[in-house]
Amino acid sequence: MSEGERKVVDTRGKFTQVVKDGRELNDAEWTGGRILLSNKRLILAGNGGKRTIPLSKIESLEGRTDVNQLVAKVSGYVSLQLATEDVVLVSAKEPESFERMLYRALLDRKVILARHPAVEGGVVTDAEWEKARLKIEEGAVDLAIADGSFVEIDLDDIGSMEANERSVKDEKRQVLEVEHSEEGTSVQTYISGSSRRCSILETLLRKGESRSEIGVDLTERQNEVLMALYSGVSPFEIPDFLGMDVDEVEEVFDRLIELEVVEEIRVRREVALNARGRNIASEAMNDQ
């Protein structure tokens, strides 16, 4: 390995190329072999030879892509969209671990711009754009911001993630708008960077967003409780705030916990909205 290069993953698996120079390959087949990932490149070595992919040539990552029936039989692969308009699929022996380490190799310690919190409790703040350094942890994206603050975005806590074009330091740039929670309050963190960096990070954050899809029908009372929590009302103040009996509120909490909409954070029936709960509450408030 070259100077400054270090091995990150050395495993076995399967790989194949399904697009070459922007053209789909209908005869793609899996090849078994060795998968070597360093902090600078990905090496795929099989019986037919070795392919080296510099990490700088990976433009984006996608979980699945259109493939033929033979290729589709293998699950748990990651799709590498390359700058050469090639698409290579890699299915490692431990796919989740390999994918996490690949994101880490591509994004760890990279500098981006962050605005946090851009929105807090539904209210736009006057937070400024600051430089921040990325850290990819298991199940989380961490931001070490230049002003000394630290932001953790738990992938299981992402309520929504949107990619928009906004003015960043007087330039039009791609911005990822991530809704999550901080000490029980709904916040939005804005992240911007190069189009490549944003594309890779967007794919990772959308994995978290997909885990919090709503898919839950609630009663009017249950929605009222969620909207109150979303607005910052303490769980202990809900009965007085909504004019409900304590026992009725307890029953609502029990049902919301059962539906995985809130999480019990203390035995004294203190609850906090999770990502799904914030999505439902936000939708209910928009319908008012």
Side-chain angles (χ1 to χ4, degrees), residues 1 3 9 24 28 52 61 67 91 98 100 112 136 138 147 156 167 189 191 194 199 251 287:
M1 289 189 175
E3 184 178 353
V9 175
E24 293 185 9
T52 299
L61 302 179
V67 294
S91 177
F98 172 75
R100 182 174 68 254
I112 48 90
I136 308 302
E138 184 172 358
D147 64 7
D156 284 332
S167 178
T189 300
I191 301 170
S194 67
S199 177
E251 289 178 6
D287 291 338

Short mmCIF file of all heavy atoms in Angstrom, two decimals, residues 1 3 9 24 28 52 61 67 91 98 100 112 136 138 147 156 167 189 191 194 199 251 287:
data_model
loop_
_atom_site.label_atom_id
_atom_site.label_comp_id
_atom_site.label_asym_id
_atom_site.label_seq_id
_atom_site.Cartn_x
_atom_site.Cartn_y
_atom_site.Cartn_z
N MET A 1 0.83 -1.20 0.00
CA MET A 1 0.00 0.00 0.00
C MET A 1 0.87 1.25 0.00
O MET A 1 2.00 1.24 0.47
CB MET A 1 -0.92 0.01 1.22
CG MET A 1 -2.04 -1.02 1.14
SD MET A 1 -3.25 -0.81 2.45
CE MET A 1 -4.46 -2.04 1.97
N GLU A 3 2.04 5.27 0.79
CA GLU A 3 2.26 5.99 2.03
C GLU A 3 0.95 6.65 2.50
O GLU A 3 0.25 7.28 1.72
CB GLU A 3 3.33 7.06 1.82
CG GLU A 3 3.70 7.81 3.09
CD GLU A 3 4.79 8.82 2.85
OE1 GLU A 3 5.35 8.85 1.72
OE2 GLU A 3 5.08 9.61 3.77
N VAL A 9 -10.94 -2.91 5.47
CA VAL A 9 -11.69 -4.17 5.41
C VAL A 9 -10.95 -5.12 4.48
O VAL A 9 -10.47 -4.72 3.41
CB VAL A 9 -13.13 -3.96 4.88
CG1 VAL A 9 -13.84 -5.31 4.71
CG2 VAL A 9 -13.94 -3.06 5.80
N GLU A 24 -26.21 -0.21 -19.91
CA GLU A 24 -26.52 -1.39 -19.10
C GLU A 24 -25.97 -2.65 -19.76
O GLU A 24 -26.03 -2.82 -20.97
CB GLU A 24 -28.04 -1.53 -18.90
CG GLU A 24 -28.65 -0.43 -18.06
CD GLU A 24 -30.13 -0.68 -17.78
OE1 GLU A 24 -30.62 -1.78 -18.11
OE2 GLU A 24 -30.79 0.24 -17.27
N ALA A 28 -24.54 -9.43 -17.21
CA ALA A 28 -23.74 -9.34 -15.97
C ALA A 28 -23.91 -10.59 -15.11
O ALA A 28 -25.02 -11.13 -14.98
CB ALA A 28 -24.18 -8.11 -15.17
N THR A 52 -9.21 -2.12 -9.42
CA THR A 52 -8.96 -1.13 -8.37
C THR A 52 -9.82 0.10 -8.63
O THR A 52 -9.78 0.67 -9.72
CB THR A 52 -7.47 -0.73 -8.34
OG1 THR A 52 -6.68 -1.89 -8.05
CG2 THR A 52 -7.24 0.32 -7.27
N LEU A 61 -23.64 6.17 -3.66
CA LEU A 61 -23.94 4.79 -3.27
C LEU A 61 -25.45 4.61 -3.27
O LEU A 61 -26.18 5.46 -2.77
CB LEU A 61 -23.41 4.49 -1.87
CG LEU A 61 -21.92 4.65 -1.60
CD1 LEU A 61 -21.62 4.31 -0.15
CD2 LEU A 61 -21.10 3.77 -2.52
N VAL A 67 -31.30 -4.65 -12.29
CA VAL A 67 -30.35 -5.69 -12.70
C VAL A 67 -31.11 -6.85 -13.30
O VAL A 67 -32.34 -6.96 -13.18
CB VAL A 67 -29.52 -6.20 -11.48
CG1 VAL A 67 -28.63 -5.10 -10.94
CG2 VAL A 67 -30.46 -6.71 -10.37
N SER A 91 -21.22 -7.31 -3.03
CA SER A 91 -21.93 -8.01 -1.96
C SER A 91 -20.90 -8.70 -1.08
O SER A 91 -20.36 -9.76 -1.43
CB SER A 91 -22.90 -9.05 -2.55
OG SER A 91 -23.53 -9.79 -1.52
N PHE A 98 -19.69 -4.14 6.01
CA PHE A 98 -18.91 -3.61 4.89
C PHE A 98 -19.45 -2.26 4.44
O PHE A 98 -18.69 -1.31 4.21
CB PHE A 98 -18.93 -4.59 3.71
CG PHE A 98 -18.31 -4.02 2.47
CD1 PHE A 98 -16.93 -3.90 2.35
CD2 PHE A 98 -19.12 -3.58 1.41
CE1 PHE A 98 -16.36 -3.36 1.20
CE2 PHE A 98 -18.55 -3.04 0.26
CZ PHE A 98 -17.18 -2.92 0.17
N ARG A 100 -21.12 -0.05 6.17
CA ARG A 100 -20.80 0.97 7.17
C ARG A 100 -19.35 1.41 7.05
O ARG A 100 -19.04 2.61 7.11
CB ARG A 100 -21.07 0.42 8.58
CG ARG A 100 -20.80 1.44 9.68
CD ARG A 100 -21.20 0.92 11.04
NE ARG A 100 -20.38 -0.19 11.51
CZ ARG A 100 -20.78 -1.45 11.54
NH1 ARG A 100 -21.99 -1.79 11.17
NH2 ARG A 100 -19.98 -2.40 11.99
N ILE A 112 -17.38 19.66 5.98
CA ILE A 112 -18.58 20.15 5.31
C ILE A 112 -19.00 21.45 6.00
O ILE A 112 -18.34 21.92 6.93
CB ILE A 112 -19.72 19.10 5.36
CG1 ILE A 112 -19.91 18.53 6.79
CG2 ILE A 112 -19.42 17.95 4.43
CD1 ILE A 112 -20.85 19.23 7.64
N ILE A 136 -18.53 9.12 11.03
CA ILE A 136 -19.55 8.11 10.81
C ILE A 136 -19.42 7.02 11.86
O ILE A 136 -18.42 6.31 11.91
CB ILE A 136 -19.43 7.49 9.40
CG1 ILE A 136 -19.39 8.59 8.34
CG2 ILE A 136 -20.58 6.53 9.14
CD1 ILE A 136 -20.58 9.52 8.35
N GLU A 138 -21.48 3.77 14.16
CA GLU A 138 -22.48 2.73 13.93
C GLU A 138 -23.86 3.28 14.31
O GLU A 138 -24.13 3.55 15.47
CB GLU A 138 -22.18 1.48 14.75
CG GLU A 138 -23.13 0.33 14.46
CD GLU A 138 -22.70 -0.96 15.12
OE1 GLU A 138 -21.65 -0.98 15.79
OE2 GLU A 138 -23.43 -1.97 14.98
N ASP A 147 -17.33 25.85 15.98
CA ASP A 147 -17.56 26.69 17.17
C ASP A 147 -17.44 25.91 18.48
O ASP A 147 -17.65 26.44 19.56
CB ASP A 147 -18.91 27.39 17.10
CG ASP A 147 -20.09 26.40 17.11
OD1 ASP A 147 -19.86 25.19 17.30
OD2 ASP A 147 -21.24 26.86 16.93
N ASP A 156 -31.73 6.26 13.52
CA ASP A 156 -33.07 5.80 13.92
C ASP A 156 -33.96 6.96 14.36
O ASP A 156 -35.14 6.76 14.61
CB ASP A 156 -32.97 4.79 15.07
CG ASP A 156 -32.51 3.43 14.58
OD1 ASP A 156 -32.77 3.10 13.41
OD2 ASP A 156 -31.88 2.69 15.36
N SER A 167 -29.17 29.18 -0.56
CA SER A 167 -28.05 30.12 -0.54
C SER A 167 -27.19 29.82 0.68
O SER A 167 -27.65 29.86 1.82
CB SER A 167 -28.57 31.56 -0.48
OG SER A 167 -27.50 32.47 -0.42
N THR A 189 -31.10 20.11 11.18
CA THR A 189 -29.71 20.45 10.91
C THR A 189 -29.54 20.53 9.40
O THR A 189 -29.94 19.62 8.68
CB THR A 189 -28.77 19.37 11.48
OG1 THR A 189 -28.95 19.28 12.90
CG2 THR A 189 -27.32 19.69 11.19
N ILE A 191 -26.97 20.68 6.21
CA ILE A 191 -25.61 20.26 5.86
C ILE A 191 -25.37 20.56 4.39
O ILE A 191 -26.23 20.28 3.54
CB ILE A 191 -25.40 18.76 6.13
CG1 ILE A 191 -25.64 18.44 7.61
CG2 ILE A 191 -24.01 18.32 5.70
CD1 ILE A 191 -25.68 16.95 7.90
N SER A 194 -19.67 19.55 -1.20
CA SER A 194 -19.58 19.26 -2.63
C SER A 194 -20.74 18.36 -3.03
O SER A 194 -21.32 17.66 -2.20
CB SER A 194 -18.25 18.55 -2.93
OG SER A 194 -18.22 17.27 -2.35
N SER A 199 -24.18 13.80 -2.04
CA SER A 199 -24.87 12.64 -2.61
C SER A 199 -24.64 11.39 -1.78
O SER A 199 -25.57 10.63 -1.49
CB SER A 199 -24.40 12.41 -4.05
OG SER A 199 -24.99 11.27 -4.60
N GLU A 251 -53.35 6.03 29.35
CA GLU A 251 -53.80 5.06 28.34
C GLU A 251 -53.30 5.45 26.96
O GLU A 251 -52.89 4.58 26.17
CB GLU A 251 -55.33 4.98 28.34
CG GLU A 251 -55.92 4.29 29.57
CD GLU A 251 -57.45 4.27 29.54
OE1 GLU A 251 -58.01 4.68 28.50
OE2 GLU A 251 -58.05 3.84 30.53
N ASP A 287 -52.70 19.56 9.04
CA ASP A 287 -54.09 19.30 8.65
C ASP A 287 -55.08 20.17 9.42
O ASP A 287 -56.27 20.17 9.11
CB ASP A 287 -54.45 17.83 8.88
CG ASP A 287 -53.72 16.92 7.90
OD1 ASP A 287 -53.31 17.43 6.83
OD2 ASP A 287 -53.60 15.72 8.18
#
